[in-house]
Amino acid sequence: MKCIPSLVGVIAIVVGFGLGACVSSPLGREKVSPPEDLLESGDRSFEGGRFAEASELYKMAAVAASNKNDGALFVEAAAQVSSSLSLLGRSEDGQAWLNQAQEADDGSEQRAHARVLLAGALHLRSTTQMAPALHAFDELYGYCLAMRWWEGAMQAATLASVVAEGPVRVDWCQRTLDAARSAAQPKWVAAAYESLGFAQEAAGDLDSAVDSIRESRKATAPGSRLRLRSDWALAHMLRLTGKLAKAGSMLEAAIPVARRFHSKGYGPRDAEWLGRCFEEYAEVQAAMGRRRAALAAMKSARKAYMLAEIQSLAPQKLRALDARVANWKYEMNRVNKQ
């Protein structure tokens, strides 16, 4: 491992992000957490999609690793700062962290090197250099496979599928599934099949999408939240393939389950999935020509979505939902006037 940047250099970056207090003199301060713990905490936040929180933890981990002269941990933490900022759309802020990670990385530490490759790919993606980004993800995927690091391979393929479109996206989702199978992790396999199904839907291959979602559903436990989401996804695919009665019956069974999850202890995600089930049921009713039933179901969907704070988290979704309702009302009024 190459010599890592001096602590002064790291502090210069951190202060630039308004975190000077994190690296001030330790005199009179509480004990700083070890870099390993900070890195692990950052990983939990990163994996949970809390990228702003993750970036702060990774910055502190980088400083702590530099102070201990731990080159491998510094490279991991600095690379993850860059990755987090890229996912936040702040690639310029992450450039200096990426540069330092690349400079300190000599490829001798496999996990650290994989994180540098990830950071580089995400930086290219966030700066809309899509073709180079896909090439970088391909390099990372191959590297992780060679290491037999299935989780890293899945992450690379999943992120690449976000960049790719059409058949290429389907291919990347298939790679995610291959890595999940190699890992022999049922939950990963279920998630990979689900992603593949939605990629196939986007590519217009609806029959294959139904098959993939069915496979995903097999890996979920009856009565679980994962099964509920699989039921919603399968009903969605069945509706798109014209199997309206089957889709409707699945949703009629799923909605009470979603209600129970929501009533056991309020949580925004449970409210969101209740809303999704009602919305999909509304679409099924509309496809069957039952506009009044569709409007009633969409009203319930909107109510659940508001509990999930859709107005602030996904205002475009709320606008689309209201536009759909307005269109149905217009069609009903036009029919009634005839």
Side-chain angles (χ1 to χ4, degrees):
M1 180 63 62
K2 294 181 181 178
C3 179
I4 63 175
S6 68
L7 184 58
V8 173
V10 179
I11 290 175
I13 295 177
V14 176
V15 171
F17 291 112
L19 293 176
C22 295
V23 293
S24 58
S25 171
L27 294 176
R29 295 188 56 206
E30 295 181 1
K31 184 179 179 181
V32 177
S33 299
E36 298 90 344
D37 293 348
L38 290 166
L39 186 66
E40 184 178 346
S41 295
D43 286 344
R44 285 196 296 270
S45 296
F46 187 89
E47 291 162 6
R50 301 185 300 277
F51 301 121
E53 177 182 298
S55 69
E56 306 305 311
L57 290 163
Y58 287 137
K59 288 172 190 176
M60 290 188 285
V63 172
S66 181
N67 201 27
K68 288 183 60 177
N69 201 34
D70 190 326
L73 274 175
F74 173 81
V75 170
E76 287 195 54
Q80 288 298 109
V81 173
S82 177
S83 291
S84 300
L85 293 173
S86 290
L87 289 167
L88 288 168
R90 296 168 52 193
S91 55
E92 291 184 6
D93 294 342
Q95 180 69 69
W97 289 99
L98 176 59
N99 291 344
Q100 290 220 48
Q102 290 173 331
E103 176 63 26
D105 176 38
D106 63 5
S108 63
E109 298 289 341
Q110 292 181 328
R111 182 179 174 87
H113 184 61
R115 293 201 178 206
V116 172
L117 292 176
L118 173 63
L122 287 173
H123 181 76
L124 289 168
R125 171 183 174 270
S126 69
T127 53
T128 66
Q129 301 178 69
M130 298 309 183
L134 284 174
H135 179 76
F137 281 123
D138 189 53
E139 180 184 1
L140 173 59
Y141 183 80
Y143 183 77
C144 291
L145 286 184
M147 290 170 56
R148 301 180 67 81
W149 183 26
W150 312 123
E151 185 176 2
M154 281 187 62
Q155 185 180 62
T158 299
L159 291 168
S161 72
V162 176
V163 178
E165 297 179 351
V168 178
R169 181 186 173 196
V170 173
D171 290 343
W172 274 108
C173 287
Q174 183 62 56
R175 292 196 198 188
T176 303
L177 178 58
D178 292 342
R181 284 171 168 165
S182 296
Q185 293 284 347
K187 287 185 178 180
W188 293 1
V189 171
Y193 263 122
E194 182 179 288
S195 295
L196 178 59
F198 283 109
Q200 289 164 333
E201 176 198 348
D205 188 358
L206 295 178
D207 289 335
S208 294
V210 169
D211 291 340
S212 294
I213 297 300
R214 286 190 190 280
E215 289 299 321
S216 175
R217 187 175 181 273
K218 289 178 183 178
T220 63
S224 67
R225 283 178 170 85
L226 289 177
R227 173 59 64 86
L228 171 65
R229 297 172 191 184
S230 290
D231 286 346
W232 168 85
L234 183 54
H236 171 75
M237 297 301 178
L238 290 171
R239 173 175 66 84
L240 295 179
T241 54
K243 298 178 177 65
L244 301 179
K246 179 62 176 175
S249 63
M250 286 196 70
L251 290 163
E252 286 168 359
I255 287 172
V257 176
R259 284 188 186 278
R260 283 198 296 272
F261 281 129
H262 184 253
S263 64
K264 283 181 179 178
Y266 171 72
R269 292 293 288 169
D270 285 332
E272 176 190 341
W273 281 99
L274 178 59
R276 288 195 186 202
C277 289
F278 269 121
E279 181 186 4
E280 190 60 37
Y281 188 67
E283 292 291 352
V284 170
Q285 296 305 304
M288 297 176 77
R290 301 169 181 170
R291 290 287 187 270
R292 200 170 300 280
L295 287 170
M298 196 66 90
K299 181 179 180 180
S300 296
R302 194 182 196 280
K303 181 179 179 180
Y305 279 143
M306 293 300 285
L307 292 173
E309 301 179 6
I310 188 177
Q311 66 273 31
S312 59
L313 297 177
Q316 71 285 357
K317 170 73 174 177
L318 181 60
R319 289 193 294 270
L321 187 148
D322 288 342
R324 191 79 170 126
V325 168
N327 183 57
W328 288 344
K329 288 182 177 178
Y330 171 77
E331 291 178 353
M332 283 183 61
N333 290 334
R334 187 178 63 178
V335 170
N336 291 336
K337 290 179 180 178
Q338 291 178 350

